[in-house]
């Protein structure tokens, strides 16, 4: 036991590498939250466009474009996207910006689908009731459909957040020191593989457990209504 | 008041309405009966354009509803609708259900909307449920609230789409009572129903629909006591 503590001290404290791990954790969280926000906005835009395109022919080309976006993004591994953005599309930007944008754009495609299915899960009679009272489709959507769709969408966004957090572990490919890369750097520099990697794994696990619990609380609140 | 001319509607190649002509006068209580699949609900839903007719016309007070230039939302405010499945908004309290449309669409103040809603709630005996959520109500209560919700917009005509078909038998009466009272007050009503007793007692006119057309139309006494066409005779023999 004491030997192990000594080893930990050697690997993280004496060398000052614990700062690297904290730095990595910070970057992982920044990338995840930034990407989440971009993903939610893109997802919402696509879901709304596709929803209203059903009876607004003028939106059809835009809806088609959204379909192309979703298909392309979902068909390419996120690491490949990341490399394309870093080395081709935004060649002069720094890694974190590229990572936030790439993961956001990637996540947007998935968000769009889960928001659409959330909206579709609301009973059709709700829209009819709103329209029969004289509301426009937009008014009924805002006042009646979306508040109910949120009950299905929020938990799904929570799951997407958890997936996103783990997905960002490949950010190291574009010279970002995220949590995974930090752990790997420590391993490389200290010749201690066990402790840095275990440490990283435990931090991810703790974050995921924390998020899942948070999600349960939110879901419980939503179901109470 | 409502004039329907040669109304046609198909779903995926199946002709559900094959040319309906009918005039509804102010104060009419029109009951529409017929076997399921006869097009009665589709006909009703075409009146406020929840279903878009393929051809033909629906006029409300001389306004052609199928005209693209007509603002259908403004016209729908004059036509309340009650659904088989109630379709109350589950995320709002009863009071919010009643007030949201008048406040949003008619710019009524919250105080006025709530006062109006409350007086209507009292009339249907549900004033004590104003702060309940729809999930806490029985089917009969939900449907009475749904009727009040439509009435809060002060419509000129009320459309009822099988309003008692989803109710437990012991709750049918309370909903029909509200509708009866409404009819006695002179509300123009169009009711798709399987309640022959209601059609006979409250209806001023009764229409029998089958195979997408109006097969027979008459006063309730005549239609029930002296049916002319064979389809109606066999239908009545099964349901009465």
């Amino acid at each position: 036991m004491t030997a192990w503590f000594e080893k930990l001290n050697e690997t993280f404290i004496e060398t000052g590498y614990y700062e690297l791990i904290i730095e990595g954790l910070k970057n992982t969280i920044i990338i995840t939250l930034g990407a989440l926000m971009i993903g939610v906005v893109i997802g919402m835009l696509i879901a709304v466009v596709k929803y209203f395109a059903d009876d607004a022919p003028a939106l059809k080309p835009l809806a088609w474009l959204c379909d192309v976006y979703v298909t392309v993004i979902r068909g390419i591994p996120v690491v490949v996207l990341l490399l394309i953005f870093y080395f081709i599309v935004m060649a002069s930007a720094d890694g974190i910006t590229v990572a936030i944008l790439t993961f956001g754009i990637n996540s947007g495609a998935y968000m769009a689908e889960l928001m659409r299915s959330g909206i579709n899960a609301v009973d059709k009679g709700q829209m009819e009731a709103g329209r029969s009272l004289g509301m426009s489709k937009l008014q009924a959507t805002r006042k009646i459909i979306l508040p109910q769709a949120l009950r299905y969408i929020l938990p799904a966004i929570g799951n997407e957040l958890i997936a996103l957090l783990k997905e960002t572990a490949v950010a190291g490919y574009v010279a970002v020191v995220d949590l995974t890369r930090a752990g790997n750097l420590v391993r490389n520099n200290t010749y201690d593989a066990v402790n840095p990697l275990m440490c990283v794994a435990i931090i991810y696990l703790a974050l995921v457990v924390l998020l899942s619990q948070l999600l349960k609380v939110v879901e419980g609140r939503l179901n109470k209504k | 008041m409502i004039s329907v001319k040669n109304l046609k509607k198909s779903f995926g190649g199946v002709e559900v309405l094959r040319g309906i002509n009918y005039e509804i006068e102010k104060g009419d209580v029109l009951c529409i009966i017929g076997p399921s699949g006869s097009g009665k609900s589709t006909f009703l839903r075409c009146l406020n354009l929840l279903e878009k007719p393929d051809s033909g016309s629906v006029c409300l007070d001389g306004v052609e509803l199928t005209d693209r230039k007509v603002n259908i939302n403004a016209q729908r405010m004059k036509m309340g609708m009650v659904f088989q499945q109630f379709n109350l908004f589950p995320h709002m309290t009863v009071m919010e259900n009643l007030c949201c449309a008048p406040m949003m669409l008619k710019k009524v103040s919250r105080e006025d909307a709530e006062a109006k809603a409350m007086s209507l709630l009292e009339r249907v005996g549900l004033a004590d449920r104003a702060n309940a959520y729809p999930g806490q109500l029985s089917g009969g209560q939900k449907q009475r609230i749904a009727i009040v919700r439509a009435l809060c917009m002060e419509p000129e005509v009320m459309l009822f789409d099988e309003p008692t078909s989803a109710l437990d038998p012991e709750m049918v009466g309370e909903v029909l009572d509200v509708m009866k009272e409404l009819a006695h007050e002179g509300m123009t009503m169009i009711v798709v129903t399987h309640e022959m007793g209601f059609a006979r007692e409250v209806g001023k006119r009764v229409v029998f629909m089958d195979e997408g057309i109006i097969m027979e139309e008459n006063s309730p006494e005549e239609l029930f006591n002296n049916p002319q066409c064979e389809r109606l005779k066999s239908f009545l023999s099964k349901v009465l």
Side-chain angles (χ1 to χ4, degrees):
Chain A
M1 200 66 184
T2 7
W4 182 51
F5 277 123
E6 258 169 41
K7 186 79 188 161
L8 279 183
N9 189 36
E10 206 175 291
T11 303
F12 293 111
I13 311 297
E14 277 173 19
T15 53
Y17 281 140
Y18 70 94
E19 283 176 358
L20 192 64
I21 299 282
I22 290 172
E23 168 79 10
L25 175 61
K26 197 187 83 194
N27 284 339
T28 288
I29 290 173
I30 289 173
I31 293 169
T32 305
L33 292 184
L36 181 77
M37 277 189 271
I38 293 173
V40 166
V41 171
I42 292 177
M44 200 141 52
L45 285 177
I46 292 179
V48 166
V49 165
K50 292 194 71 178
Y51 181 62
F52 282 97
D54 283 345
D55 42 23
L59 286 176
K60 285 263 152 51
L62 207 54
W64 179 80
L65 219 60
C66 292
D67 277 337
V68 171
Y69 169 84
V70 171
T71 309
V72 168
I73 297 298
R74 294 214 295 187
I76 300 174
V78 69
V79 186
V80 178
L81 276 181
L82 197 61
L83 292 172
I84 289 174
F85 271 79
Y86 189 66
F87 289 109
I88 305 172
V89 183
M90 319 174 47
S92 58
D94 78 300
I96 293 198
T97 313
V98 171
I100 290 176
L101 269 174
T102 309
F103 288 114
I105 287 169
N106 180 62
S107 181
Y110 294 91
M111 293 276 190
E113 288 303 301
L114 67 87
M115 286 184 189
R116 232 158 62 82
S117 61
I119 290 172
N120 288 337
V122 178
D123 181 47
K124 283 203 166 42
Q126 293 291 312
M127 175 56 88
E128 289 186 350
R131 297 304 305 271
S132 80
L133 288 165
M135 293 180 198
S136 66
K137 184 168 182 180
L138 188 65
Q139 287 171 322
T141 303
R142 234 184 29 220
K143 187 87 182 161
I144 297 164
I145 305 300
L146 285 185
Q148 294 184 63
L150 220 55
R151 264 191 56 171
Y152 305 105
I153 293 173
L154 271 187
I157 288 182
N159 287 329
E160 176 65 23
L161 174 62
I162 289 171
L164 192 56
L165 173 74
K166 292 185 292 178
E167 234 169 37
T168 59
V170 296
Y173 270 89
V174 293
V176 174
V177 181
D178 74 318
L179 183 57
T180 306
R181 182 106 193 280
N184 203 28
L185 284 175
V186 177
R187 176 197 60 79
N188 198 39
N189 296 352
T190 58
Y191 303 102
D192 174 6
V194 176
N195 290 315
L197 296 183
M198 282 302 149
C199 167
V200 164
I202 288 168
I203 293 176
Y204 275 116
L205 181 63
L207 284 176
V208 169
V209 169
L210 190 78
L211 283 175
S212 316
Q213 290 303 321
L214 221 68
L215 197 59
K216 265 189 197 156
V217 173
V218 172
E219 260 180 86
R221 286 243 178 110
L222 284 173
N223 285 334
K224 231 192 247 166
K225 268 206 144 173
Chain B
M1 182 178 207
I2 298 179
S3 150
V4 180
K5 290 201 189 78
N6 204 21
L7 189 66
K8 287 185 182 169
K9 173 78 187 172
S10 312
F11 290 113
V14 180
E15 237 184 346
V16 181
L17 297 180
R18 300 187 298 143
I20 305 269
N21 293 285
Y22 203 79
E23 297 282 333
I24 294 144
E25 301 299 332
K26 195 163 175 51
D28 264 353
V29 177
L30 170 67
C31 291
I32 304 171
I33 61 170
S36 48
S38 58
K40 352 183 251 307
S41 282
T42 307
F43 171 50
L44 193 76
R45 290 159 59 82
C46 279
L47 293 182
N48 67 355
L49 259 63
L50 278 187
E51 299 294 352
K52 241 185 159 156
D54 296 337
S55 66
S57 82
V58 178
C59 280
L60 174 68
D61 294 331
V63 179
E64 172 62 65
L65 299 187
T66 45
D67 188 341
R68 281 176 151 262
K69 286 182 222 106
V70 168
N71 178 2
I72 186 65
N73 298 324
Q75 297 303 316
R76 280 187 182 134
M77 290 190 215
K78 302 184 204 161
M79 295 191 278
M81 187 161 197
V82 175
F83 300 85
Q84 184 176 350
Q85 297 297 337
F86 328 126
N87 295 345
L88 292 179
F89 307 134
H91 59 301
M92 302 181 188
T93 64
V94 166
M95 193 46 101
E96 288 164 350
N97 264 279
L98 303 184
C99 295
C100 85
M103 283 167 58
M104 181 196 283
L105 304 170
K106 292 185 142 185
K107 308 294 172 210
V108 179
S109 73
R110 177 175 293 278
E111 295 76 49
D112 292 350
E114 288 190 352
K116 164 114 187 132
M118 208 49 175
S119 75
L120 283 167
L121 278 179
E122 272 160 19
R123 274 177 41 195
V124 301
L126 289 171
D128 56 326
R129 308 313 311 268
N131 295 315
Y133 281 91
Q136 301 165 316
L137 304 176
S138 73
Q141 290 175 328
K142 278 185 202 162
Q143 196 61 301
R144 282 186 280 160
I145 299 293
I147 294 172
V148 170
R149 180 175 67 183
L151 289 176
C152 278
M153 288 297 282
E154 302 180 324
E156 294 167 21
V157 51
M158 288 281 286
L159 312 176
F160 292 86
D161 189 3
E162 301 196 23
T164 58
S165 297
L167 296 176
D168 291 337
E170 77 263 30
M171 290 170 183
V172 170
E174 63 192 60
V175 172
L176 291 182
D177 286 343
V178 171
M179 291 167 65
K180 259 182 230 170
E181 199 184 314
L182 208 53
H184 289 316
E185 285 164 14
M187 173 63 81
T188 311
M189 294 164 63
I190 305 170
V191 186
V192 171
T193 187
H194 292 297
E195 297 291 331
M196 297 304 148
F198 178 84
R200 183 175 243 166
E201 187 189 337
V202 185
K204 294 204 179 109
R205 308 293 297 176
V206 180
V207 153
F208 172 67
M209 277 184 73
D210 197 12
E211 295 173 351
I213 54 168
I214 293 178
M215 288 253 177
E216 201 163 329
E217 189 271 344
N218 220 325
S219 68
E221 301 82 44
E222 275 298 304
L223 188 124
F224 285 108
N225 298 333
N226 190 14
Q228 299 298 311
C229 72
E230 283 308 314
R231 299 301 299 260
L232 177 55
K233 282 178 193 166
S234 90
F235 176 73
L236 289 178
S237 72
K238 278 178 221 152
V239 297
L240 288 181

